[in-house]
Amino acid sequence: MAVSLLLEGGRMIVSPTKVGYIIMTTDIGGLTRMFSSKKRALNKPSVVLCGSMEQLRQLAVLNAEIDAFYRAAWDNDILLGCILPWKADAKEHIPHDGSESLIMDQRSTSCFVVKFGAQSELITRALWEDHGTLTFASSAIPRARAIPVASTASGSA
């Protein structure tokens, strides 16, 4: 259902991660809505979600050390995001709708994230493998912590 919704364009979803939740989208319409809803500065690019090591290798410039670093995180199910340059030919996968300005900085780098949470990874993988569609997200929003309720003198809150 999430994949179908995101493929409609201009949409965003809230999806669980290991550390809370993210807002996910696939194009400028969704990115604009995401930035607006989070009141996020336009000069702070969204992250690029990668649902597989193969996707990461297709999109980002990696050397052997960075590849091994990501592989170790992948193999140990550790959330990892690093700011890396885009491969020149990978930029063709970015929607030609203005999305580029909200997913990368002036150096043509983005934060490429892996192992962010099973449900969100499945959505990302399906969008990429079945439709050739990139997934962008807000930075993770931590789960709300329980806030203790102060008692009044009478013992009621």
Side-chain angles (χ1 to χ4, degrees):
M1 182 178 201
V3 170
S4 295
L5 182 73
L6 289 170
L7 287 172
E8 289 179 17
R11 303 293 191 122
M12 63 183 203
I13 63 166
V14 175
S15 187
T17 68
K18 291 178 177 180
V19 296
Y21 67 92
I22 52 176
I23 298 171
M24 298 171 64
T25 191
T26 59
D27 61 17
I28 192 66
L31 283 163
T32 302
R33 292 178 74 198
M34 180 181 73
F35 274 72
S36 176
S37 69
K38 290 191 68 183
K39 297 180 182 16
R40 185 177 178 97
L42 295 177
N43 64 343
K44 295 178 80 175
S46 69
V47 302
V48 178
L49 301 175
C50 296
S52 68
M53 283 296 298
E54 293 72 27
Q55 181 184 9
L56 173 68
R57 290 177 180 133
Q58 288 176 3
L59 300 177
V61 175
L62 308 174
N63 61 25
E65 183 179 15
I66 295 169
D67 190 274
F69 187 54
Y70 268 98
R71 171 52 67 191
W74 189 274
D75 291 346
N76 291 291
D77 196 29
I78 297 170
L79 170 68
L80 177 64
C82 297
I83 298 173
L84 301 168
W86 281 79
K87 286 186 172 178
D89 61 341
K91 291 181 185 178
E92 71 186 40
H93 297 288
I94 300 169
H96 302 288
D97 60 2
S99 291
E100 187 172 311
S101 67
L102 296 179
I103 65 163
M104 70 174 64
D105 62 17
Q106 301 81 1
R107 300 170 301 161
S108 293
T109 65
S110 291
C111 183
F112 293 89
V113 180
V114 298
K115 300 310 278 185
F116 38 92
Q119 292 104 338
S120 297
E121 290 171 37
L122 288 172
I123 295 166
T124 299
R125 191 173 309 118
L127 284 164
W128 178 251
E129 291 177 2
D130 300 340
H131 305 281
T133 300
L134 294 171
T135 308
F136 313 116
S138 61
S139 50
I141 301 162
R143 288 183 177 91
R145 294 187 185 158
I147 300 172
V149 178
S151 298
T152 62
S154 66
S156 61

